[in-house]
Amino acid sequence: MFRNCLAAALRHLVRNKLYAAISVIGLAIGLCTALIAALVIRNQYTYDHFVPGYERTYIIQTVVSPVGMARQYVGFTPPRMAAQLRELFPQLEGVSRVLDTTMHVEYGRQKSSETVYWADPNLPDVLPMATYAGDVAAALRTADSLVLSRSDARRFFGRDAPLGDTLTFDGHARVVRGVVQDRRQHGSRQARHI
């Protein structure tokens, strides 16, 4: 029975080549679209689920609405916003700021341009991170300290826990006092500087 149906379908495809081509291309485009839509939906529903307490964690983002133009989402929020949030919403469990900048990093003969994140000392309270080595909270309270992801520690120093070693950022030495685990997202490892 299946053999007869398959033979009839193949004969029909051979007789109507244009119709068959349009059908196959349409089916391929439809399947690709459905797969992309499923990936986008999965990403949106699992975004930042690696953060403990993600359902209670929020990111403030600035929206600029120039006259006569579409809204623009800016990746920068004014630093004073943290104090304003604490004042306006006393029920908040915690507020912390993270600012990023690009800096020149030197270690021995290695030189590179890296994205560096500056964080408030209470960041581990607001955004818990799995510590691999050292004391992350104490490191963020000291001006000359540095916290690296485990993969960045391996990249710069060749080992997972280079506590006490230094990196130079735009001419200023910083001592590695903490190493955090690389975060996992959707089964892949991604390194973050902190």
Side-chain angles (χ1 to χ4, degrees):
M1 170 94 178
F2 177 74
R3 198 169 153 188
N4 292 338
C5 290
L6 182 62
L10 290 175
R11 269 187 249 125
H12 180 70
L13 289 175
V14 170
R15 272 191 306 223
N16 301 312
K17 291 180 182 170
L18 179 63
Y19 177 76
I22 291 172
S23 296
V24 169
I25 290 171
L27 180 63
I29 291 171
L31 286 173
C32 287
T33 304
L35 287 172
I36 290 171
L39 288 172
V40 168
I41 290 168
R42 180 178 182 267
N43 181 54
Q44 292 301 311
Y45 275 104
T46 61
Y47 183 75
D48 284 352
H49 280 213
F50 67 92
V51 175
Y54 67 88
E55 64 279 349
R56 297 182 343 265
T57 304
Y58 299 92
I59 296 175
I60 302 296
Q61 187 170 15
T62 304
V63 179
V64 179
S65 299
V67 178
M69 296 177 70
R71 281 187 201 180
Q72 297 174 4
Y73 294 91
V74 182
F76 177 76
T77 302
R80 64 181 175 272
M81 181 70 73
Q84 292 171 348
L85 284 171
R86 275 192 217 104
E87 187 177 308
L88 291 173
F89 303 102
Q91 68 272 25
L92 290 176
E93 294 176 32
V95 178
S96 189
R97 300 170 298 171
V98 178
L99 303 172
D100 65 326
T101 186
T102 302
M103 299 181 84
H104 297 288
V105 180
E106 295 179 34
Y107 175 69
R109 295 183 182 178
Q110 297 179 18
K111 293 182 182 181
S112 62
S113 183
E114 304 284 339
T115 300
V116 177
Y117 295 89
W118 300 92
D120 282 340
N122 70 334
L123 182 67
D125 299 331
V126 176
L127 188 66
M129 295 170 276
T131 302
Y132 178 74
D135 187 352
V136 174
L140 291 176
R141 286 191 297 269
T142 310
D144 70 337
S145 294
L146 173 66
V147 177
L148 290 175
S149 67
R150 193 171 169 192
S151 61
D152 286 332
R154 217 175 292 127
R155 183 167 57 103
F156 284 113
F157 300 101
R159 58 189 194 280
D160 288 347
L163 299 177
D165 288 354
T166 60
L167 285 177
T168 304
F169 292 86
D170 288 342
H172 301 283
R174 304 275 186 237
V175 179
V176 178
R177 300 207 198 286
V179 178
V180 294
Q181 292 283 5
D182 292 323
R183 68 183 178 98
R184 293 183 76 87
Q185 184 175 19
H186 302 305
S188 65
R189 292 187 156 253
Q190 296 183 357
R192 300 301 293 249
H193 306 280
I194 297 179

